[in-house]
Amino acid sequence: MTEELAAKRLKISPPLIGTHKSGKCPLANAHEWSHSITQKLTELNSGHFHADEALAVFLLRLLPAYSPSALLRTRDTSLLSTCHTVVDVGGEYNPSTNRYDHHQRTFNTTFPNHTTKLSSAGLVYMHFGKPIISQQTSLPEASSEVSLIYEKLYTEFVEALDAHDNGISAYDPKDTASLKKRFNDSGVTIGSMVNDLNSDFDEGLPKSPKSVPTPHTPDEVQHQEDARFLEASQLMGTTFLRKLSYYHKAWLPARSIVQKAYSLRHQHDPSGQIIVFDNGGVPWKDHIYLLESTSPEAKKVLYVLYPEGLHEGAKWRVQCVSVTKDSFESRRPLKEEWRGVRDEELASKVGIKGCVFVHASGFIGGNQTKEGALQMARLSMAR
């Protein structure tokens, strides 16, 4: 078995209690060992770890069947056959026997209606995502709401981890061959933050007497590496749960609110290109693009209006809709001569009372009243 196939093992085995060379499971804390029922062993390889297996471990341990599991990281392939579940190693994908590897040549499994080959994160999520979502939200697993969140979480979070682990670019290289990045953003990705938690290349080597003490024995090095893996798993898991909470508590309820506002848009302007929300804070972007995709013949929405708060007399915002969900370019920005101007000077240029500001890029502006914000949108749209 190659080093690649031996890497990143996650295994869960019945009554077996995992041990390390020291005789203790390095990742099992005192709370875990206090359980009298440790029915499964969660095991992962030692060595360099990535974001996908860090998330896979966290997801499995959210489930009651896996939560009391001890975690053992090793490269000993002889333990594979004794394990209940094997993830990311073993050269086999067979859900009926709980084998979830994606490194074999024959593997080409993707998430439903997607084309990105799965990693350990995607495999675990594909098979266990719905029960995890149901458990975390108290929604019935078979409900349409769980299905929507399941698809959304994969599309917006897990799929990027799958692509990164499998070396798949977000763009066709032929389409980006002539492009030059304006700045480097590789250090602010989730994957890079997990990578930062891996060992330094010289960890375990002797240091000068004045340097900070470092581990020298293999067990000491492994113990520190395991602790960092748990930190990485917590980072990935916390991010996952925050996104799940957002989609459940904000994005999903907003769906019906945006749908209603979209259906009423012609009441605010005959063009149907201005949408008004009575409450601010509605996450509207995803839903507007989806609604527009179902009515391709309709004019695109250009502006969205909403109050800054729920209190009486709250100021109103007029925000431009971007060309695409992830674009910084507005479909029609607010007028160029308004940009970067505020208050009375802005009101004079616009010819409308109560103007507060327009951002320097023209993507958003404000007025003291709903009527003023609506007039700002109409004037910008008419040019």
Side-chain angles (χ1 to χ4, degrees), residues 44 48 113 236 238 270 276 300 338 376:
L44 196 72
H48 196 91
N113 302 314
M236 294 303 302
T238 299
V276 177
K300 302 292 186 183
W338 301 352
M376 291 174 72

Side-chain angles (χ1 to χ4, degrees), residues 91-348:
E92 181 183 4
Y93 169 50
N94 188 347
S96 65
T97 56
N98 302 304
R99 266 48 188 167
Y100 302 102
D101 192 21
H102 68 105
H103 293 103
Q104 56 272 28
R105 285 178 177 271
T106 57
F107 183 87
N108 57 9
T109 302
T110 62
F111 196 81
N113 302 314
H114 289 257
T115 60
T116 303
K117 189 170 76 168
L118 298 177
S119 68
S120 62
L123 277 172
V124 169
Y125 181 77
M126 184 171 71
H127 289 280
F128 301 102
K130 285 189 176 181
I132 288 171
I133 293 168
S134 176
Q135 170 194 299
Q136 294 293 317
T137 63
S138 299
L139 294 168
E141 185 178 334
S143 66
S144 59
E145 291 86 354
V146 166
S147 294
L148 281 169
I149 296 173
Y150 177 67
E151 165 65 28
K152 187 65 175 174
L153 266 172
Y154 183 77
T155 300
E156 300 295 335
F157 183 50
V158 181
E159 185 171 20
L161 303 177
D162 288 340
H164 183 268
D165 194 68
N166 285 304
I168 300 172
S169 174
Y171 302 96
D172 189 321
K174 293 179 295 190
D175 297 334
T176 59
S178 61
L179 297 181
K180 184 177 180 179
K181 295 180 83 169
R182 293 177 177 174
F183 56 89
N184 181 28
D185 59 353
S186 61
V188 294
T189 65
I190 289 286
S192 72
M193 287 186 279
V194 168
N195 187 61
D196 290 342
L197 292 168
N198 277 285
S199 305
D200 294 329
F201 79 96
D202 61 347
E203 187 167 279
L205 297 177
K207 301 293 192 300
S208 68
K210 294 182 179 180
S211 64
V212 178
T214 56
H216 297 302
T217 69
D219 281 351
E220 289 174 334
V221 172
Q222 185 66 55
H223 183 77
Q224 288 198 2
E225 181 187 283
D226 292 343
R228 283 194 297 270
F229 173 80
L230 280 185
E231 189 177 347
S233 187
Q234 187 66 34
L235 169 65
M236 294 303 302
T238 299
T239 304
F240 174 86
L241 290 178
R242 284 176 179 167
K243 289 184 176 293
L244 171 55
S245 177
Y246 167 76
Y247 291 131
H248 173 223
K249 297 179 179 179
W251 179 82
L252 193 61
R255 191 164 173 258
S256 59
I257 296 173
V258 177
Q259 193 167 27
K260 180 179 179 181
Y262 186 79
S263 67
L264 298 175
R265 67 193 187 282
H266 290 93
Q267 294 184 5
H268 305 290
D269 190 86
S271 69
Q273 294 183 285
I274 300 174
I275 286 182
V276 177
F277 294 109
D278 294 327
N279 296 325
V282 177
W284 48 266
K285 284 190 176 182
D286 278 0
H287 301 296
I288 282 182
Y289 294 115
L290 180 60
L291 288 166
E292 287 182 337
S293 69
T294 62
S295 305
E297 73 287 349
K299 291 183 178 179
K300 302 292 186 183
V301 176
L302 299 179
Y303 305 104
V304 172
L305 275 60
Y306 53 87
E308 291 184 358
L310 298 176
H311 58 281
E312 186 177 352
K315 298 173 184 176
W316 278 72
R317 296 286 180 96
V318 50
Q319 183 170 343
C320 306
V321 178
S322 54
V323 174
T324 64
K325 182 172 70 72
D326 299 316
S327 171
F328 289 112
E329 180 184 358
S330 299
R331 287 175 173 172
R332 189 168 300 175
L334 298 175
K335 285 191 172 184
E336 195 279 332
E337 59 266 30
W338 301 352
R339 300 172 199 173
V341 186
R342 298 186 60 88
D343 304 322
E344 292 302 321
E345 183 184 357
L346 177 61
S348 177

Side-chain angles (χ1 to χ4, degrees), residues 355-370:
C355 291
V356 179
F357 79 99
V358 170
H359 190 274
S361 67
F363 89 97
I364 195 169
N367 195 282
Q368 295 284 352
T369 67
K370 174 182 176 181

Side-chain angles (χ1 to χ4, degrees), residues 67-78:
S67 61
S69 304
L71 185 64
L72 176 64
R73 302 180 69 242
T74 180
R75 294 181 182 273
D76 187 353
T77 55
S78 65

